[in-house]
Each structure stands twice: as C-alpha cells, then as structure tokens.
Amino acid sequence: MIGLWSGEGVPSGHPLDGVLENLNWFGKRFHGDLRADALLFQWKAGRLVAIDPSAIPIKLALRFATLGRTTTGRNWFSYLHRLMLARNTTASLKLRAVDHDETAAMVYDKQPIVDYFRRIGEDELAGMMVIRGDKRRYFFRLRRIDHSQKNAHR
C-alpha cells in the first residue's frame, strides 16, 4: 500500500457523497513507516496539500454536508484549508477486523475514524470509512499512481 493513491467516492447515500470531490480531494499517501497522510487535496496542478483531519469537526461536517457540495462550500474551503494544514502524518496503518475478517485499516490519530481497505485489483483498493457512533458508511475507491514506491517496497 506504500505510495500515493488518488481517490474518488462511491455514491451510497452517505451525507459525504460528492463533498470530498467538490473540495478537490486528491486521495491518500501511505509511508514506509506505516504512517499516512489521511486527507490530500489538490490546490494547484501538481501541488498536493495534506489537511489535518483533527481540524474538521466531524459531526458538524456530517450535519452540514450539503454545503460541502456547493460552490460556496468549495470557495470557503479554499480559504480555510490554510488553517488546517497538517504538520505531520495524521494516521497509522494497522491490521483490523471488520465483519470477522482481518484487513488493512488506516486509523486516524485524533478523530474517531477508521478507513478499512480491500484490494480489488493490482493497483486499486476499495475503502470504507467508519465513524465511531455513526452507523452510516462512506465508500470510496483508491488507485495507485506512484508505481515507483510500489516496486521499491516489495
């Protein structure tokens, strides 16, 4: 899983469907020390910015998710992201059980969130974000774009 991955949501009726894409979400980056940049956004062509998820009040984000799908929400986020820049990695990769099967998981450092992953192709992962205390699941897909990292860590 080490390397850079681009992401896209999989519509499922979750409040966050379409929000991340509207805010220019790029994907995730997994490092060799099993740490991760949980939220990468594209701000300019070729420039990725890591956002610290702890700066996002998750319950409010879910409650006002419809704003995140608007042009106004995108414009606000383009200014607010400067206040949310990650100073370091923001999550850890671990093995976790989900539905009685052990799988790769990314555990957020300062949020009650775990992303679970299943490999669906050589360079493709299915993801499911679980927020503690919320029965709804956000689904997404990741595609590896950093092939040099993949081959260097086999």
Side-chain angles (χ1 to χ4, degrees):
M1 290 183 58
I2 306 305
L4 186 61
W5 297 74
S6 66
E8 64 181 349
V10 175
S12 66
H14 191 278
L16 295 179
D17 285 353
V19 171
L20 291 174
E21 290 83 358
N22 187 53
L23 301 179
N24 295 319
W25 177 54
F26 178 84
K28 301 179 182 295
R29 182 178 10 233
F30 302 109
H31 301 274
D33 62 356
L34 300 181
R35 296 289 298 156
D37 298 309
L39 292 172
L40 287 176
F41 288 85
Q42 178 95 37
W43 293 114
K44 295 178 183 174
R47 181 161 183 242
L48 300 179
V49 177
I51 297 296
D52 185 348
S54 70
I56 302 168
I58 192 65
K59 290 185 182 196
L60 279 176
L62 290 170
R63 187 171 182 189
F64 296 104
T66 54
L67 178 63
R69 288 188 287 275
T70 67
T71 302
T72 301
R74 184 175 50 242
N75 289 339
W76 283 5
F77 190 71
S78 71
Y79 291 104
L80 292 174
H81 86 274
R82 292 176 183 98
L83 302 173
M84 298 185 276
L85 295 176
R87 298 191 196 297
N88 210 333
T89 55
T90 57
S92 296
L93 283 172
K94 300 179 183 288
L95 288 176
R96 286 279 175 97
V98 64
D99 297 331
H100 308 293
D101 291 323
E102 196 168 73
T103 189
M106 184 181 68
V107 180
Y108 288 58
D109 291 342
K110 297 178 182 175
Q111 284 283 17
I113 300 172
V114 177
D115 291 346
Y116 295 93
F117 303 104
R118 298 267 188 208
R119 185 170 300 280
I120 56 175
E122 175 66 23
D123 290 320
E124 192 170 11
L125 301 173
M128 177 178 70
M129 182 183 76
V130 175
I131 301 169
R132 189 176 345 140
D134 190 334
K135 294 184 186 304
R136 299 168 294 185
R137 304 297 185 239
Y138 176 75
F139 296 95
F140 58 95
R141 186 174 18 249
L142 295 176
R143 288 188 179 90
R144 184 191 311 268
I145 62 165
D146 189 349
H147 293 282
S148 63
Q149 287 283 354
K150 177 185 83 168
N151 294 327
H153 294 284
R154 278 198 164 172

